Every structure is written in structure tokens, then in C-alpha cells.
Amino acid sequence: MYGIRFHCAADREGTKINLAVSHMGLQVFQGNTKINTFNWSKIRKLSFKRKRFLIKLHPEVHGPHQDTLEFLMTSRDQCKVFWKNCVEYHTFFRLLDQPEPKSKPILFSRGSSFRYSGRTQKQLVDYVRDSGARRTPYQRRHSRAQISTRTLCADLPKQSLSFNECLKVPGSPSSATISFHSLHASSTPPCPEPEPAQPPTSLQEDRGKGTPKPLHSFQGISMDNPQLSPFALKSHLTLSPSFQMSTLSLPGQAPSPLQSPILSEVGTARLDEEEEGRKKRYPADKAYFIAKEILTTERTYLKDLEVITVWFRSAVIKENAMPEGLMTLLFSNIDPIYEFHRGFLKEIDQRLALWEGRSNAHVKGDYQRIGDVMLRNMCFLKEFTSYLQKHDEVLTELEKATKRLKKLETVYKEFELQKVCYLPLNTFLLKPIQRLMHYKLILERLCKHYTPDHQDYSDCKDALKEVAEMAAQLQSSLIRLENFQKLTELQRDLIGIESLTASGREFIREGCLFKLTKKGLQQRMFFLFSDMLLYTSKGVTATNQFKVHGQLPLHGMIIEENDNELSVPHCFTIYSAQRTIVVAASSKVEMGKWIEDLNVAIEMAKMSQEKSDLFLDTSVCDRSNRSSDEVSLEQESEDDTHSSHSSLDKQTHHRANTTMHVCWHRNTSVSMSDHSLAVENQLSGYLLRKFKNSNGWQKLWVVFTNFCLFFYKTHQDDFPLASLPLLGYTVSTPAEADSIHKEYVFKLQFKSHVYYFRAESEYTFERWMEVIKSAASATGRMSLLIPKESKEMNGN
């Protein structure tokens, strides 16, 4: 990484990291991978105490309870050197004028007197503009001996342009590591140019290795064939006209997050011409893109299965943490399913290659259909129904074993913190049943698209019938498993509640509300179940867990909306047998969802034969009953945050991108039906991403699941490079002021955060818009408890 100097440090958990300072702010690296960036605008204060380097953030960045980050460096001298570097960078890049030196105290001095001396970046820019030497004007002249670009390209073979011949640099270890503007913007002999080439500013070298890192050229190019595998790069490294956008990477080398410079106007015009040719050559049928969705989601699904079959198996075998019986039960059920889908993915990939014309075999028959492949494999998948029916037993036994065996519990929690486990571990065990629902929805879209006389219609219809039968058999099991998985996830993330997975309990809604106390409105996280309502808070601890402050049984509870009585907007009162609390939602829509779900849940609790008091934890009940004054309870909770700090430090660190943490920071809520809808709308594929103030488009493999976008360099990567929680975001098409003049572009925005994504076709664009709208906006998410679903859930 050019211009980045690492400073060894460790976080509060002792994890080895590297700190670095740049023009934009402070950066945190794990190895050579950047995991976080703290912009100067988000930092309120930088300080150090002995070996501890402290970053104090503004409250709106991480909330009022987590505004100070602490890193432990190797020595005090190293800590002070890094602090001085930060002061210099911040002054130079952020301040308008040179800071005035402070007068030294006569008797005592407190803190360091170090200040940056010199001009700031703004002062230098002003100086060059006002009094700098004027450039001598000159007129560019073209040489008669130069060859036009069109003549050059006509002399080359029509099928492909050799990447090694056109872009090879003398002395370079690999010809595949050069980022280029366009074919006519290179200065190498095989590709002469009509104008002087720009300096190769995008060639970077890996720090310490001296090997150049690949960069990406994605400006103004549409993606048609996004799968450029490393095997193809190892063999020929040819740039075919069909591959206008390629992710160039070397085997075993970390991908570079940098983007290529802006293409020249001539290069953009040429790429637009080639894009027109690509549209004419490749299939534009909607059925092709529906079939391609099967391929892209199948790739993600297989990677999800590998989290269990490969990575988790390796972790438990290494520590010998799982009993033999549980090992047999778990992997004997999921291994055959994994092997089947490996073959299925290969067959789908081969059919799409023939459909696209990547192989000459398409001349021997009509391969522009997918129904025969789906029918054959769906019939074979019915033999695995018995394995899928055992997932209930597998999930239950795994949860019991983690409670009983401390060694397995430790391995389980440590594995969930690894990058490859980007979701809660037990979520991956539900993927095989959820995948059946995906097949059903995709086949329904295919059958709706085809006319009855189409050659592929009958096979798709028969395949849909086979999948619908399996989905109907496993639907009740899936609802029960999703509820059990959510309860176990909350059990690990909540402190102060036991036996959350009690029999008969159903999760309904989680979200952020503001609780009215004598101190004012206090932010709290609420969890609504079929028998009780929990409210919690998040303190300054070494973990990301929430501490339970109270439980309110639904039996006898009354909800009253009092928007007109109090000055607090979107406010309503909850009357229970233990106490009365007043809460406020962030919007009228959020308040309506909470009131509706609470009223229906109260009615369900009345009709239930089992009393909710049996499920309550006696210790928390005693504490709640003992404190009738709400202020004393809140004061106790604030004190508990500090007094229990040492005990919480011993807890295992938890992931910060779970749904409850996103709801906490985005001030919203999510119901169980939202979770189920997000599962149905899982999507993956290649997209082009552009930031608000960036010029180039970056090609990424994007996975949508659990209300979040996960970004990979390619579909072959084992773990995501970054994630973007979508709760609270709005999705729309770019406005005229955005100056995005490309097709199939959608815009994601949350406050000042803006991202642009470009899809490859109209169908893909509509699918991404559909699934993101269902998860991002509050209006897209629905209330859980409608009569049909409530009856269905009670029956299970």
C-alpha cells in the first residue's frame, strides 16, 4: 500500500492490528486488509496515555455510550510518534490556516506542546494559484507517422486481443497487473496511440513484496459476462470483446481496493460502441437472466454450505470439541446435500455457457433453456427430503451440546467471529430448506414469463410441481426452525435473561424505542415475544451484548396511544401488571407497527393456555418487582454498566452487524415476517459500485441476505471484504443532479451516505430494486401478525 505506514497495536480484546494515518483519517488494518476507517470529521479528540492510544468520536457516530476507542501500542515512544503523525496529517489536510502556537506555562505544563509547523494544504493551493509561476501555453501537434486507432484495431484478430501483447511492460513480472484507460491509451510498441499517453499512475506495489497489485478499470463499461475466473487468468489472459469488464487478480495475492482513473472521452466513446456490439451478440431474453439468477444464487448457496462442511468441521476437529455422535448427526445430513449441489452448480454453469455462446457446442442443439436441467435435478433432490427433515433435530442437539460442553461453546463463539462466518452460525444450517423456497420462486417467474407453447414451459412447470411438493412438506418445519434460530441468537446477545428458548415462545418484533424517565427520553432496545416484552440497553462494554432491564408479561397488558396528551411525538403508553412505561417511536409508521403487533400479541396471550409467568426468569422478576420507582431502576442500570465492566470483559466478543445492533443505530424495528421475507428475497451477482464523490465504477460480487449487502471481489472469495446494512436506507433511481448517465443504475442513500450500483440488464436491475426495497425502507417492511400467519404459527 503506497504511502501507508503501519504502526503495530492491539485492540481491547488483544487482537493484533495495524494502525495507519492518511489524508482522510485513521485506518485500521488486520494484516494487509483494511477493516475500518475513522474520518477526521468523525473524530473529536486524539490523545495517548502511556502505551494507550485513545480516539474520541462524536456521539452521532457510535451513539452516546460508545464514543471512545482504545488501542494498546508496543511502547510509549511508539504511541507518541503515531500521535504526532496524526496531529501533522490532521493539521495539513483539514485546517485552513496554520495553528497559532500556544504560550508555554510558567510553572507547570500539562500534556504535549507539539504542534504542526508549516503551511496547510489549503494555504499551499492558494499560494500556487495566486503567486505561482504561470504555465507557458503551447499548441499540440500531431505527427503524420502516427496510425489511427480504427486502423490499428482492424489489423488485429477479430476474436480476441492478446492482453500479454498489448499491455506488457518490459521488466514487469506479470503483464496482467497493468491498469489501463483503453486499448489506444497505452504507450507500448504493439499498440501505438494517436495522442501522448498519460503517466501510469494506477500501478501500485505491494508493501514489502515489491509485486504490483492489480487495479480495475470499470468506468463507463457494462457487465455482460462477469465471471472471469483465476483459472482463465492463469492460462491465456486474453481480453475478449465480450469481457469489457474484468476483475484482474493474481493467484494468492490480496485484491486491491483502489479504483482506476477516469477514462478519456475517446475511450468512453469506443467502449460505448463495443457495448452496443455486446448487446447484439449476447442473449437479451428475460429467461436467460432468470436462469442466470439461479446460477449466481447457487454459487452463494454453495459457499454458505462450505461454512459448515469445510470451515466449521475443520475448527471442531482441530480442537476435538464435538462428541462423535453429534459429529455424525451433523455432517452425515449436510455432506450429501453439499455434494449434490456441487454437481448441480456445475451443470447449471455449463448450460449457461452454452446459452451465452461461450462454447461451440451450441451449434449442435438448442441449449437456450433451463427447464430440463431443473426438472432432472429437482427430481433427484426429492431423495434428500429425509435429510432436510432432520435439520430440526440437528439444530436442537447442537444448541444443547454448546450449553453442556464449555469447549464446544468456546469453539462455537470463536468461529462466529471469523470472517468466513459472516452470519450467525446456526443460520447456515437453515440454508438447505430455504433454498427450496428460492427454487420455487424462481421457477414461478420462469413459468410466468414463458407462454404455454414454449419448448421450456412444460419442463419448468413439472420442476415447479416437484419443488412445491417438497416446500409444502417442509414449510412448517422452516417456520419453527427460523423462530428457534432467532431465539438462540438473542439468547447469546442478551445479558440478564435465561431460558429464552422456552417451549411455545415465538419471536415477534425487535427494535429501538425511547423510554420516558425523569431524566428524559432514554434509548432502549425492545424485544416482543408471544408471552412477554423485554427492554434492554447497550452500555460501554468490551462486548456488543445488550443488558436486560425489565420484562413485562403480555397477560393483562393494555396499550394506549397518547399522542395528543404529551408533547413527545409518536408516543404511547404500555400498562402492565408490574409497572407502566411511556415510550416513543421514531416515526408514526414505527409507532403503528409496534401498537398493532402488541395488541395482536396480547390477544394471542389471552387465548393461550400456558401463562407467560412460567417463562419469566425469577431473578429478573424479583429485581423488577422490588423496584417500583422507574428512576431508581434506570439509575441502577447506569451503575450496572460500570460495575459489571470487569465481568463483561470476560464475555466473548460479539458481532456488531447483527439485526439488533443495526436497529439500535438506525433507530428502527424489524419483525419476524421481515426476516422471512428477507430470506425469500436473497440475491447475489456482480454489480458495479460507485461512491458519491468517486469517478470510477468498481466491479464487485454482491450478496444480499439478512437486510445487508456483503461485498466480495469475486464469487470465489471465502469471506466478504465489507458489508452495508440496509435498514434505514432509501433506494431510488438517480436524479438529474446526480449526473449518472448510465442504464440500470439504482441509488442507495442514508443521510449523507450515497452509493450507486449498476446492474447488467433490466431484469437484474428490477430484481435488485425489488429485494432492497423490501428490506431497506420502513414502508417496505410489513407487520408480522396478520390472521393467516398467526393461525399458521399457532398451529405449530
Side-chain angles (χ1 to χ4, degrees):
M1 282 153 286
Y2 182 77
I4 296 295
R5 181 181 179 184
F6 285 163
H7 297 262
C8 298
D11 58 12
R12 287 186 175 182
E13 287 74 36
T15 304
K16 297 297 181 183
I17 59 174
N18 292 317
L19 297 179
V21 59
S22 66
H23 67 283
M24 67 178 66
L26 297 183
Q27 299 177 343
V28 184
F29 291 81
Q30 197 164 22
N32 289 329
T33 304
K34 183 170 68 174
I35 60 176
N36 209 342
T37 299
F38 300 102
N39 294 329
W40 294 123
S41 60
K42 299 180 181 179
I43 298 176
R44 186 168 60 174
K45 182 181 179 181
L46 291 175
S47 60
F48 70 96
K49 295 179 181 179
R50 296 182 178 86
K51 297 193 296 183
R52 293 183 299 144
F53 184 78
L54 305 174
I55 304 175
K56 200 163 189 177
L57 303 173
H58 288 288
E60 61 269 15
V61 179
H62 284 289
H65 300 294
Q66 189 182 1
D67 60 346
T68 303
L69 302 175
E70 180 180 321
F71 299 96
L72 187 66
M73 308 197 77
T74 55
S75 65
R76 180 188 179 278
D77 293 340
Q78 173 116 15
C79 193
K80 186 173 183 179
V81 168
F82 182 62
W83 176 79
K84 286 184 176 181
N85 291 343
C86 294
V87 172
E88 291 176 335
Y89 270 75
H90 177 266
T91 305
F92 180 77
F93 288 107
R94 291 286 292 177
L95 299 188
L96 300 180
D97 300 319
Q98 182 179 353
E100 295 292 334
K102 290 185 178 181
S103 58
K104 295 185 178 180
I106 301 176
L107 296 177
F108 302 101
S109 64
R110 183 178 181 183
S112 175
S113 61
F114 174 78
R115 296 293 182 271
Y116 169 76
S117 60
R119 293 174 177 173
T120 64
Q121 185 185 43
K122 179 68 165 54
Q123 290 175 328
L124 287 176
V125 171
D126 293 342
Y127 172 77
V128 173
R129 185 182 66 244
D130 297 337
S131 60
R134 296 183 177 180
R135 298 180 180 178
T136 304
Y138 67 95
Q139 184 177 4
R140 186 187 303 273
R141 296 180 179 179
H142 297 279
S143 174
R144 297 179 180 178
Q146 286 183 334
I147 306 173
S148 66
T149 309
R150 194 173 297 276
T151 306
L152 171 66
C153 295
D155 295 335
L156 295 174
K158 293 183 179 180
Q159 292 184 353
S160 64
L161 298 176
S162 175
F163 192 80
N164 292 326
E165 293 175 1
C166 285
L167 299 174
K168 193 166 185 179
V169 177
S172 176
S174 173
S175 61
T177 59
I178 307 300
S179 177
F180 56 99
H181 300 280
S182 61
L183 292 177
H184 63 280
S186 174
S187 58
T188 53
C191 294
E193 55 181 342
E195 296 183 6
Q198 299 178 0
T201 57
S202 58
L203 181 60
Q204 301 280 342
E205 292 190 358
D206 192 5
R207 191 176 188 86
K209 296 183 180 179
T211 58
K213 280 196 172 184
L215 301 180
H216 311 278
S217 294
F218 294 138
Q219 176 71 17
I221 313 173
S222 68
M223 45 183 292
D224 172 76
N225 207 338
Q227 297 86 358
L228 183 59
S229 66
F231 304 103
L233 291 177
K234 291 179 183 177
S235 56
H236 300 291
L237 287 174
T238 59
L239 183 64
S240 173
S242 62
F243 286 93
Q244 296 302 336
M245 309 189 59
S246 307
T247 301
L248 305 177
S249 58
L250 292 177
Q253 189 178 39
S256 171
L258 300 177
Q259 300 175 355
S260 64
I262 311 175
L263 286 170
S264 62
E265 295 180 0
V266 181
T268 305
R270 173 173 175 77
L271 291 170
D272 290 339
E273 292 177 4
E274 294 176 347
E275 181 179 354
E276 293 297 328
R278 178 196 62 79
K279 290 181 179 179
K280 294 178 181 179
R281 175 180 175 184
Y282 277 90
D285 185 13
K286 182 179 178 180
Y288 163 75
F289 293 105
I290 298 177
K292 194 169 186 178
E293 182 182 340
I294 301 176
L295 174 66
T296 56
T297 53
E298 190 72 16
R299 282 175 171 159
T300 301
Y301 169 60
L302 203 66
K303 282 292 183 182
D304 290 342
L305 291 184
E306 288 178 358
V307 175
I308 299 291
T309 60
V310 178
W311 298 96
F312 185 61
R313 187 205 303 265
S314 175
V316 295
I317 290 178
K318 180 180 179 181
E319 300 295 334
N320 194 20
M322 186 177 290
E324 189 69 27
L326 184 58
M327 284 275 291
T328 304
L329 177 64
L330 173 59
F331 295 109
S332 64
N333 274 279
I334 201 167
D335 283 344
I337 298 174
Y338 171 69
E339 292 299 327
F340 162 75
H341 284 284
R342 283 184 62 186
F344 179 45
L345 174 62
K346 185 177 180 181
E347 194 170 349
I348 290 287
D349 195 8
Q350 291 174 348
R351 176 55 60 89
L352 264 294
L354 299 176
W355 198 332
E356 294 168 357
R358 283 185 275 161
S359 172
N360 291 329
H362 71 283
V363 300
K364 301 178 181 178
D366 186 8
Y367 291 102
Q368 294 187 350
R369 55 197 177 110
I370 200 67
D372 57 331
V373 178
M374 294 298 295
L375 177 59
R376 182 167 57 254
N377 284 275
M378 293 305 102
C379 292
F380 190 66
L381 186 60
K382 290 187 69 175
E383 301 178 7
F384 295 92
T385 306
S386 60
Y387 293 100
L388 298 176
Q389 291 173 343
K390 290 183 180 179
H391 275 57
D392 196 345
E393 179 185 359
V394 171
L395 203 61
T396 305
E397 292 300 322
L398 181 61
E399 183 64 23
K400 290 180 181 178
T402 52
K403 292 181 179 179
R404 186 176 68 254
L405 303 172
K406 291 296 181 183
K407 191 174 183 180
L408 178 60
E409 182 184 12
T410 302
V411 172
Y412 191 106
K413 290 182 178 180
E414 289 179 351
F415 182 78
E416 279 197 325
L417 297 178
Q418 295 183 18
K419 292 181 179 180
V420 71
C421 189
Y422 66 98
L423 298 174
L425 180 59
N426 52 12
T427 304
F428 295 101
L429 291 173
L430 304 182
K431 294 291 183 180
I433 303 180
Q434 293 171 348
R435 187 60 179 159
L436 287 178
M437 311 303 167
H438 300 162
Y439 292 146
K440 180 174 178 288
L441 294 174
I442 294 175
L443 285 170
E444 285 176 350
R445 283 195 292 273
L446 268 175
C447 292
K448 185 177 180 181
H449 168 69
Y450 285 139
T451 57
D453 57 345
H454 194 277
Q455 61 174 351
D456 204 25
Y457 179 80
S458 60
D459 287 340
C460 289
K461 198 72 175 177
D462 293 339
L464 176 59
K465 182 179 179 182
E466 298 291 337
V467 175
E469 291 179 2
M470 289 186 286
Q473 295 178 13
L474 298 169
Q475 180 65 35
S476 60
S477 177
L478 178 60
I479 295 175
R480 185 171 60 254
L481 288 175
E482 287 179 345
N483 180 71
F484 181 76
Q485 183 275 325
K486 186 61 182 178
L487 292 178
T488 55
E489 178 186 341
L490 293 177
Q491 182 72 73
R492 292 187 176 89
D493 286 343
L494 297 181
I495 300 176
I497 179 70
E498 299 293 336
S499 302
L500 195 59
T501 58
S503 176
R505 177 170 293 151
E506 295 174 1
F507 168 75
I508 297 177
R509 180 174 288 276
E510 62 181 338
C512 180
L513 294 172
F514 288 88
K515 185 169 174 290
L516 187 63
T517 67
K518 289 186 178 180
K519 291 184 178 181
L521 290 174
Q522 301 283 330
Q523 186 180 11
R524 295 290 179 261
M525 190 71 184
F526 282 74
F527 301 90
L528 176 61
F529 302 93
S530 59
D531 61 329
M532 65 177 178
L533 177 67
L534 293 180
Y535 59 93
T536 67
S537 71
K538 184 180 179 183
V540 183
T541 65
T543 68
N544 285 314
Q545 294 170 291
F546 286 81
K547 185 175 179 60
V548 176
H549 291 312
Q551 302 182 49
L552 304 178
L554 296 185
H555 187 68
M557 181 180 289
I558 299 175
I559 308 299
E560 180 181 310
E561 183 179 352
N562 48 8
D563 233 352
N564 298 327
E565 299 177 8
L566 300 175
S567 59
V568 181
H570 319 308
C571 185
F572 59 96
T573 305
I574 301 175
Y575 299 94
S576 71
Q578 296 179 357
R579 71 175 66 88
T580 299
I581 62 174
V582 179
V583 294
S586 60
S587 65
K588 190 172 183 179
V589 174
E590 283 293 318
M591 181 185 70
K593 291 180 179 180
W594 276 105
I595 292 178
E596 180 184 359
D597 284 353
L598 280 166
N599 285 328
V600 179
I602 291 170
E603 292 299 322
M604 291 172 57
K606 286 181 181 179
M607 295 184 295
S608 177
Q609 297 179 356
E610 298 179 357
K611 299 298 182 181
S612 60
D613 293 336
L614 299 176
F615 300 130
L616 293 179
D617 185 3
T618 56
S619 61
V620 180
C621 285
D622 293 339
R623 187 186 70 180
S624 301
N625 291 327
R626 176 172 50 85
S627 177
S628 59
D629 183 27
E630 191 55 41
V631 178
S632 63
L633 178 63
E634 293 300 324
Q635 185 64 41
E636 179 187 5
S637 67
E638 298 295 333
D639 295 339
D640 287 345
T641 298
H642 301 283
S643 62
S644 61
H645 189 281
S646 59
S647 62
L648 291 178
D649 283 345
K650 300 177 183 178
Q651 302 275 351
T652 305
H653 185 71
H654 284 245
R655 213 167 31 261
N657 65 343
T658 56
T659 309
M660 69 167 65
H661 293 89
V662 179
C663 289
W664 174 267
H665 291 294
R666 301 281 169 82
N667 197 11
T668 185
S669 67
V670 171
S671 69
M672 191 62 196
S673 65
D674 297 331
H675 283 280
S676 301
L677 187 62
V679 166
E680 292 180 359
N681 286 330
Q682 288 183 8
L683 193 62
S684 57
Y686 280 101
L687 290 176
L688 299 181
R689 184 186 66 180
K690 180 183 180 298
F691 297 105
K692 180 180 180 181
N693 297 321
S694 65
N695 295 317
W697 294 82
Q698 185 181 14
K699 181 183 177 184
L700 295 169
W701 177 261
V702 184
V703 175
F704 169 77
T705 183
N706 286 39
F707 309 102
C708 193
L709 292 180
F710 295 92
F711 302 104
Y712 302 75
K713 277 296 180 185
T714 69
H715 68 270
Q716 296 173 332
D717 292 351
D718 294 320
F719 55 86
L721 299 176
S723 62
L724 178 64
L726 293 178
L727 294 178
Y729 270 81
T730 58
V731 57
S732 62
T733 54
E736 193 68 28
D738 295 322
S739 299
I740 304 294
H741 306 293
K742 300 293 178 183
E743 287 183 320
Y744 316 133
V745 176
F746 60 91
K747 174 183 177 182
L748 285 177
Q749 183 171 4
F750 175 73
K751 295 182 179 179
S752 61
H753 304 281
V754 179
Y755 304 92
Y756 301 99
F757 294 92
R758 187 180 178 194
E760 63 175 337
S761 66
E762 183 180 1
Y763 170 79
T764 313
F765 166 78
E766 292 174 351
R767 283 289 293 145
W768 280 106
M769 289 281 287
E770 175 188 352
V771 300
I772 293 177
K773 277 183 179 179
S774 67
S777 62
T779 55
R781 300 191 301 274
M782 62 184 68
S783 177
L784 168 67
L785 298 173
I786 57 179
K788 181 180 177 181
E789 291 186 5
S790 61
K791 292 178 182 178
E792 198 174 44
M793 294 172 68
N794 286 332
N796 294 325

